[in-house]
Amino acid sequence: MRKEDKAALVDEIADRLGEVETIFAVDYRGISVPQAAELRARLAEADATFRVVKNRLAKRATERAGTAELDRLFEGPTALAFVKGDAVTAAKAISIFGRQHDVLEYKGGLMEGAPLDPEQFRAIARLPGLDVLRGQLVGVVASPLTGLTRGLASMLSGLAIALGEIAERGLVAGEAEGEARAEEPEATEEPEATEEPEATEASAEEAETSKKTESDEEESPEESEADGEDSEGASEENS
């Protein structure tokens, strides 16, 4: 490689290091050209690129970009994943691809300026992607609104049905009352009962007679005693 080409490659790597916040370094030994193309397609979904680098040129690029902490990773075959988009999606793509093809050993990297070791990388790869999190958030936010909307719609529908039934029953009742009133015959005057007052007066007279009889019976002993006393007085005067 000519000197000019090497300088251009260092500039390119340095520019990419400065543009992204997440960088993954992997050992690419054993990966084929078709597999590398497949990995690049998967990483493109996370707005990430995959680039095999020469260690010596990569160290020069990190020095220019201010990412010298990556220098220790440039030992053996090394490829860099420059992630502009979702770091979780990119980590998942590398992790799943490595398990499927038994290639790509993660070496280390940077995430928002902080070193990212293999254990942290595996933990990130197990997280749900940004799109999934957004969908879950939208579902959580929209769920109460959807429930409220459905509840109000159900209440309004029930109220409308109830009012309709009430109105229908009221109209039916009014018609029935009108028909009943129309069919009801006029009441005829009944003749006055003449015998009932006489019977009542007779009953009253009988009751008064009964009372007088009872009162006479109660007073009879007293009158008999008075008569006895009068007779005795009269006998004494005669004697």
Side-chain angles (χ1 to χ4, degrees):
M1 181 181 292
R2 295 181 304 172
K3 184 177 180 180
E4 293 80 3
D5 295 337
K6 292 180 180 180
L9 183 57
V10 170
D11 291 339
E12 179 185 351
I13 297 173
D15 290 341
R16 291 191 179 184
L17 290 172
E19 291 173 354
V20 299
E21 294 184 354
T22 303
I23 304 161
F24 299 142
V26 297
D27 187 334
Y28 67 91
R29 279 179 291 192
I31 190 172
S32 64
V33 174
Q35 290 173 345
E38 179 184 352
L39 177 60
R40 287 189 175 94
R42 293 189 184 185
L43 288 173
E45 297 177 0
D47 194 11
T49 56
F50 183 76
R51 179 65 184 271
V52 175
V53 296
K54 293 183 176 295
N55 293 334
R56 184 170 57 85
L57 298 178
K59 289 179 180 179
R60 289 171 56 184
T62 57
E63 182 179 359
R64 290 186 54 181
T67 55
E69 53 266 48
L70 293 174
D71 289 351
R72 62 182 180 81
L73 305 176
F74 298 120
E75 298 291 339
T78 306
L80 296 178
F82 303 95
V83 184
K84 289 184 178 180
D86 184 17
V88 175
T89 303
K92 281 182 177 295
I94 294 173
S95 180
I96 294 172
F97 184 88
R99 288 197 303 269
Q100 289 175 343
H101 299 282
D102 195 22
V103 292
L104 296 183
E105 179 184 355
Y106 178 79
K107 291 185 173 183
L110 293 176
M111 189 172 182
E112 296 182 355
L116 194 69
D117 59 32
E119 184 176 353
Q120 293 171 326
F121 174 81
R122 288 189 290 270
I124 291 173
R126 289 193 294 267
L127 295 174
L130 184 59
D131 292 340
V132 176
L133 291 176
R134 285 174 178 168
Q136 292 176 352
L137 179 60
V138 170
V140 170
V141 173
S143 178
L145 296 177
T146 303
L148 178 61
T149 303
R150 290 177 180 173
L152 291 175
S154 177
M155 291 173 62
L156 292 175
S157 177
L159 180 60
I161 293 172
L163 291 175
E165 290 179 355
I166 292 171
E168 184 178 356
R169 291 176 182 175
L171 290 174
V172 171
E175 291 175 359
E177 290 176 0
E179 292 176 358
R181 290 175 181 174
E183 295 176 358
E184 183 179 354
E186 293 182 357
T188 58
E189 294 182 357
E190 296 180 355
E192 295 180 357
T194 57
E195 296 179 356
E196 289 183 358
E198 294 178 357
T200 304
E201 292 176 358
S203 299
E205 291 176 357
E206 289 177 0
E208 290 178 357
T209 304
S210 176
K211 288 181 181 180
K212 289 180 179 180
T213 304
E214 290 176 357
S215 62
D216 293 341
E217 290 176 355
E218 290 176 355
E219 293 175 355
S220 59
E222 294 177 356
E223 291 178 354
S224 59
E225 290 178 0
D227 294 339
E229 290 177 356
D230 293 338
S231 60
E232 288 178 0
S235 60
E236 288 178 358
E237 289 176 359
N238 293 329
S239 57

